[in-house]
Amino acid sequence: MTPRSLAVEDLIHQLEMRRSTADQRRFLAHWLKGLPSKILAPCLGLLLGRPLGATVTVPALKTALFCRVNKDLFDASKEAGSDLSETLALLWPGGNEPLDLADLVAAVRTGPKDERLDTVAALLDKSNALARDLVMRVSTGRFKSPVSPDLLRSTLAEVFSRPVADIEQNLANSEETLDPFSSWLFGVPFPETLAEQTGFLSLPTIQACEPDATGGANLCIALPSGSYAQLVSNPDSCHLYTLAGDRLEGPENYEELPPKTTLLIFLPKNPAAQPLLLDILIKDGEDLRNLPRQQRLGALEELAAAGALSGFARTEVEPLPAAASLGATFDNPSIDRLFLLHAAGTLDPSSDTLGEVLRPPHELYFKILYAEGTLSRQGIFAGVVTLGAPATTSKQGNYAELVPVGKASLHRLSQKDKSTLETYIAENTLERFGPVRKLAATEDTSLIARVICRSIDRASRRKAGLVLKEANVMELFDNSAAYRVSSLDELAPLALW
Amino acid sequence: MPETPAQKKTGAQTILIPTASGLYCPAGDFYIDPTRKVARAIITHGHSDHARKGHGAVLATRATLAFMALRYGKNFAGTSQIVKEGETLTLGDAKVTLLAAGHMLGSVQVHIEHQGATAIISGDFKRSADPTCPSFDVRPCDLFVAEATFALPIYRHPPPEGEIEKLLLSLHLFADRPHLVHAYSIGKAQRVIALLRQAGYDEPIHVHKAIAEASLIYENEGVSLGSLETLGADLSDPQAFDGKIILSPPGGVAEALHAPVTSFASGWMRLKSAAKSRGGDLPLILSDHADWDELVTTVKDVGAETLWITHGREDVLAAHIKETLGVDAKALSAVPFAPEGLQP
Ligand SMILES: [Zn+2]
Ligand SMILES: [Zn+2]
């Protein structure tokens, strides 16, 4: 029972009803995840309070309403309704369809002026009640965004795993229309074909899909060499969609896909999608499916070594990432060496490669030097922390010399860890500068943060000489758990020079 | 000699007389949903604004009598008699048939035939589908007495499935919090449960004691509501209800629950102002009363020449019906009371 994605009028309604920002954030995040890029720009425009401009007047809408409904009914109802837009919307006969915001934008922005009222009326005629209310408010310039720009920016950052600063900058650069922002966010040129429109990579070369002995599916991708490999989606960053006619459906469990289905694979640039090549089924036209798996893995390894898997970086992963979930799918404990193939970057649907190669993320441990942000209504700290590392690996102590190495986001932390952090911040604040709190970070302080960061950049102007990029605090540990804090000595070789 | 339409109309209008105790049928010598204690009463359904205790003899469906016994105890009336939906009884000179009203389990319209003229008292009713009761039985009549709580054209209920989806979505997004849904303990609560089951939700649902008791009557009547757990006194365990649905009548569960998502299921939630002030985090537009469109459709469907309207903005509906359908429509309160002496 997966709840359907939210229509924009339902989202607005929920945002208007929920009083807490934390609640609003969850609705926004859910909605953004199910949102096709095609309508991202107009929706964001609405939510950012960039009105489309009043294009029809209330008296004109009233006149149009009275062609449909007796004026007496309006007079009798206007006292009872919450506001004028709502009264008009509820009285308007309407239909059951959700709002297509793109239709509305087209109607109010681009249509010929003297036809706008007719277009808006036609939209009202087919829309459901909440949608009609939104159309009324938007087209008459009465709509006010129920969320703050800050909340929207930070939720976008969270959902698309982009730094807030990048979101802000790109929004600022998209004053006129948000289309450039949308293209930037989805990482593909803005609309033409469906694949581009939705920011999904089309892989029409998938050849077959059949359940294997372990219950997993043999989902084959044609690799550049003319070989085929098995693809497993990484549930964190890769979702599989199906294309049936012109309808995009999904995310789906790929095990249920019929053969010859065209798959669209959602590969967000950041964090990089991480398709795992687990197996090779067909090599140069030779069917390897009856060979022992060990031999097939050998064949895959050869291909990778020969560079035939162009566009993929090859990393042996040990221990297996997400071993638990893979185990559940494949139930094969003999798989102990796998290739974690990282692919990301600008996606080109016409090319066979998956684009720019990214390195695997770093897993590191740090102390927390500063916390920046605010306590939410639920008392949960929302914001970023500055991480600190000692210059050299020390057995004990010397934490007075912790050097800042960069900021990390907290949105991946569990609720439980968030409240642990909140208590920690409350007990260890040394000084406050506005929203920034300097925390005691010595050998006595108990908290160690497990951090995943996409890359480490060289930064000559910083004391540490390097800076973490796209770092996320994943987990918090007690000092006693014997996790060693990463030192600058260890970080330096990881930095991209 | 065949009756002329004028005679028939007059006939229908004499089947029922408004009195201070409620609608009275002189031909059968009984009241419908009387507001004061009377000798003989037909009760349309188990809600307390219709089913009162202390009448001499009561006729109603089995479910309605069960709800009355639950609320008032066994001796809620001198005598009571079960009437099945669709069954016709002769009471004095009147023939009386109870017809499904679609409002809640056991709810009926009262169809009265006297000297060739017919009147129907709708009782509370709705037209939209409800998995907990049979739907409104459309029968033609000369006089239709319509309950019209939502007699304003802005009241147009959305499909209930969509509202239930909202609840399920919230449950998905806020799986770390209890979902406290306020709904009246007889009727609305069970409809919410049944709609949840229809949508595929088969987790146990926690219910207030009053809802649990009423739900037993539903189970007895063959309406399956799935696994229900009655709320105990202690709700303070912060984790016990996370991700669970708790149904309670308004005011039934105090603030003991830990950070609940609160919801109120009612047709009044249609208006944002009402939803904001009373709907909690998650107002659900779920009504067991006909909305404006259903009211107009129903008047058309029964084809009555005369319409008496109770509840809501009777004036607005009456004027609209008069103008669009040419029906002689007025507020029940505007129908002259029985002359002195005619009431028993
Ligand atoms: Zn009722
Ligand atoms: Zn009632």
Side-chain angles (χ1 to χ4, degrees):
Chain A
M1 229 184 0
T2 323
R4 67 179 177 140
S5 54
L6 272 176
V8 65
E9 65 272 16
D10 290 328
L11 172 79
I12 300 283
H13 185 64
Q14 296 288 358
L15 293 176
E16 285 172 342
M17 290 301 143
R18 300 267 173 160
R19 291 155 188 90
S20 117
T21 339
D23 287 10
Q24 291 184 330
R25 180 187 298 278
R26 284 200 209 175
F27 272 106
L28 265 183
H30 175 78
W31 174 72
L32 282 169
K33 281 174 194 160
L35 190 66
S37 68
K38 182 179 85 136
I39 59 165
L40 181 76
C43 290
L44 285 187
L46 264 196
L47 290 172
L48 283 167
R50 299 185 184 178
L52 301 164
T55 47
V56 291
T57 62
V58 174
L61 274 178
K62 272 193 195 172
T63 309
L65 175 70
F66 299 152
C67 299
R68 292 161 170 84
V69 172
N70 191 319
K71 183 176 176 301
D72 296 342
L73 294 181
F74 171 77
D75 292 336
S77 303
K78 68 179 179 218
E79 297 304 317
S82 302
D83 55 45
L84 185 59
S85 313
E86 182 181 58
T87 307
L88 293 173
L90 289 173
L91 283 171
W92 198 285
N96 283 320
E97 288 182 29
L99 177 60
D100 185 337
L101 202 61
D103 272 9
L104 178 59
V105 172
V108 299
R109 233 195 226 152
T110 55
K113 223 172 179 181
D114 51 344
E115 286 171 20
R116 281 179 193 165
L117 179 64
D118 290 345
T119 328
V120 169
L123 198 56
L124 288 167
D125 284 339
K126 63 178 185 180
S127 301
N128 70 50
L130 282 180
R132 295 196 299 274
D133 187 20
L134 192 56
V135 172
M136 293 281 180
R137 288 192 280 164
V138 170
S139 61
T140 57
R142 291 172 166 228
F143 178 75
K144 285 197 184 68
S145 174
V147 291
S148 71
D150 268 356
L151 176 65
L152 189 63
R153 286 194 289 255
S154 61
T155 312
L156 278 168
E158 181 186 319
V159 170
F160 290 90
S161 299
R162 304 292 178 106
V164 180
D166 289 5
I167 299 270
E168 269 167 22
Q169 197 194 335
N170 277 280
L171 277 175
N173 293 343
S174 309
E175 282 296 346
E176 275 299 299
T177 142
L178 286 159
D179 291 348
F181 176 77
S182 174
S183 340
W184 169 76
L185 198 65
F186 280 88
V188 288
F190 202 66
E192 270 319 315
T193 69
L194 182 73
E196 286 168 346
Q197 238 176 45
T198 50
F200 295 94
L201 170 66
S202 171
L203 287 180
T205 42
I206 284 169
Q207 300 297 310
C209 180
E210 53 196 16
D212 69 11
T214 61
N218 288 336
L219 190 72
C220 306
I221 300 183
L223 292 169
S225 63
S227 305
Y228 301 93
Q230 189 175 36
L231 180 90
V232 169
S233 72
N234 174 342
D236 285 336
S237 56
C238 178
H239 300 290
L240 300 183
Y241 286 74
T242 56
L243 184 64
D246 58 352
R247 278 182 47 142
L248 188 63
E249 289 175 332
E252 289 286 346
N253 179 348
Y254 63 85
E255 289 176 34
E256 290 169 8
L257 293 179
K260 312 259 182 225
T261 307
T262 297
L263 273 191
L264 300 174
I265 302 184
F266 184 15
L267 295 171
K269 258 169 97 173
N270 214 340
Q274 300 180 334
L276 293 169
L277 288 195
L278 287 181
D279 206 349
I280 182 159
L281 306 172
I282 295 166
K283 187 182 173 190
D284 299 330
E286 182 194 349
D287 193 335
L288 309 180
R289 280 174 289 186
N290 292 325
L291 294 182
R293 177 169 289 221
Q294 217 47 45
Q295 282 185 34
R296 299 205 304 269
L297 284 176
L300 183 62
E301 200 164 350
E302 269 170 37
L303 273 178
L309 305 182
S310 72
F312 289 102
R314 174 182 165 236
T315 322
E316 281 188 35
V317 179
E318 232 167 332
L320 199 57
S325 66
L326 284 173
T329 314
F330 288 90
D331 193 24
N332 188 345
S334 72
I335 307 178
D336 55 1
R337 286 173 75 237
L338 287 171
F339 301 100
L340 179 57
L341 301 174
H342 301 275
T346 308
L347 303 175
D348 177 6
S350 64
S351 118
D352 277 336
T353 65
L354 292 174
E356 176 198 344
V357 173
L358 284 195
R359 286 158 188 258
H362 304 290
E363 185 181 65
L364 302 159
Y365 296 84
F366 297 105
K367 289 267 177 173
I368 298 171
L369 295 180
Y370 298 92
E372 180 180 350
T374 48
L375 288 179
S376 77
R377 250 179 209 227
Q378 268 69 38
I380 300 296
F381 184 81
V384 294
V385 291
T386 302
L387 305 165
T392 52
T393 310
S394 63
K395 285 175 200 126
Q396 270 249 290
N398 270 350
Y399 283 137
E401 293 175 18
L402 288 174
V403 181
V405 293
K407 291 183 178 183
S409 146
L410 300 173
H411 72 261
R412 300 255 182 120
L413 270 187
S414 68
Q415 286 303 107
K416 189 172 151 279
D417 276 353
K418 279 186 181 166
S419 35
T420 307
L421 181 63
E422 189 224 328
T423 315
Y424 179 81
I425 291 169
E427 288 170 359
N428 289 282
T429 299
L430 297 177
E431 275 180 87
R432 284 193 63 164
F433 324 92
V436 181
R437 295 151 193 258
K438 184 178 181 189
L439 306 179
T442 68
E443 57 206 301
D444 299 332
T445 55
S446 61
L447 224 52
I448 291 185
R450 180 166 77 87
V451 172
I452 293 287
C453 81
R454 175 55 52 199
S455 65
I456 302 175
D457 284 3
R458 192 178 176 185
S460 55
R461 277 192 245 157
R462 288 170 177 263
K463 192 176 173 195
L466 51 83
V467 61
L468 306 185
K469 283 287 174 184
E470 296 160 44
N472 274 297
V473 182
M474 308 301 286
E475 243 179 309
L476 296 174
F477 292 106
D478 200 76
N479 216 358
S480 60
Y483 282 94
R484 207 167 40 78
V485 173
S486 312
S487 70
L488 292 182
D489 282 355
E490 292 167 76
L491 297 180
L494 304 175
L496 297 167
W497 301 101
Chain B
M1 193 180 82
E3 282 174 304
T4 66
Q7 277 172 323
K8 196 175 162 187
K9 187 170 151 192
T10 319
Q13 293 195 39
T14 56
I15 293 179
L16 291 167
I17 308 171
T19 76
S21 300
L23 272 179
Y24 175 65
C25 171
D29 185 24
F30 60 84
Y31 287 82
I32 294 119
D33 294 345
T35 53
R36 303 174 183 174
K37 289 178 187 175
V38 299
R40 287 146 57 87
I42 294 180
I43 305 296
T44 58
H45 67 285
H47 282 149
S48 57
D49 55 330
H50 299 258
R52 294 176 177 81
K53 68 171 172 180
H55 304 308
V58 166
L59 281 183
T61 57
R62 186 173 57 196
T64 298
L65 294 175
F67 291 126
M68 290 177 81
L70 175 65
R71 180 176 284 122
Y72 304 120
K74 261 185 204 161
N75 302 317
F76 60 87
T79 61
S80 63
Q81 185 186 335
I82 295 172
V83 184
K84 285 187 191 146
E85 279 160 26
E87 193 180 333
T88 301
L89 300 174
T90 305
L91 299 176
D93 293 337
K95 279 188 181 155
V96 176
T97 313
L98 302 189
L99 304 169
H103 172 59
M104 62 172 283
L105 180 65
S107 69
V108 290
Q109 322 163 53
V110 183
H111 178 281
I112 307 170
E113 195 186 327
H114 176 59
Q115 294 180 346
T118 53
I120 288 178
I121 300 93
S122 72
D124 290 352
F125 77 99
K126 69 170 176 289
R127 301 298 298 274
S128 65
D130 181 339
T132 67
C133 64
S135 48
F136 184 91
D137 190 347
V138 178
R139 297 289 175 96
C141 60
D142 304 313
L143 166 65
F144 188 56
V145 183
E147 180 275 339
T149 299
F150 291 109
L152 262 189
I154 46 174
Y155 289 111
R156 303 169 76 195
H157 310 323
E161 296 76 20
E163 300 302 294
I164 291 299
E165 243 179 72
K166 282 185 198 164
L167 175 56
L168 291 173
L169 174 64
S170 179
L171 205 63
H172 170 76
L173 293 181
F174 300 88
D176 52 350
R177 292 165 68 186
H179 279 62
L180 174 58
V181 182
H182 285 127
Y184 294 108
S185 54
I186 299 181
K188 186 67 65 65
Q190 290 76 18
R191 185 174 182 219
V192 170
I193 296 169
L195 286 168
L196 281 165
R197 300 306 187 208
Q198 233 174 30
Y201 182 81
D202 47 18
E203 300 287 310
I205 295 173
H206 297 264
V207 295
H208 185 272
K209 186 166 159 279
I211 296 174
E213 286 169 353
S215 299
L216 274 182
I217 296 175
Y218 277 76
E219 294 282 347
N220 288 342
E221 293 285 325
V223 180
S224 170
L225 298 173
S227 162
L228 303 182
E229 283 179 20
T230 310
L231 288 174
D234 184 21
L235 302 177
S236 58
D237 180 353
Q239 256 95 60
F241 298 101
D242 287 356
K244 303 276 165 44
I245 296 176
I246 297 110
L247 269 165
S248 163
V253 173
E255 281 84 61
L257 281 170
H258 178 71
V261 172
T262 56
S263 173
F264 184 40
S266 161
W268 301 110
M269 298 298 107
R270 173 81 278 176
L271 297 185
K272 283 182 287 184
S273 49
K276 272 188 184 147
S277 62
R278 294 191 286 139
D281 302 309
L282 184 66
L284 298 175
I285 311 169
L286 269 177
S287 175
D288 289 332
H289 295 268
D291 69 1
W292 174 265
D293 296 333
E294 293 174 30
L295 286 168
V296 174
T297 306
T298 306
V299 173
K300 248 185 241 171
D301 287 351
V302 298
E305 289 164 358
T306 310
L307 173 69
W308 294 349
I309 306 161
T310 76
H311 296 84
R313 286 291 300 275
E314 299 133 331
D315 54 328
V316 180
L317 183 62
H320 180 71
I321 294 288
K322 233 185 243 176
E323 193 186 311
T324 57
L325 302 178
V327 170
D328 171 23
K330 54 165 98 75
L332 180 58
S333 54
V335 179
F337 265 34
E340 279 312 315
L342 186 61
Q343 292 171 249

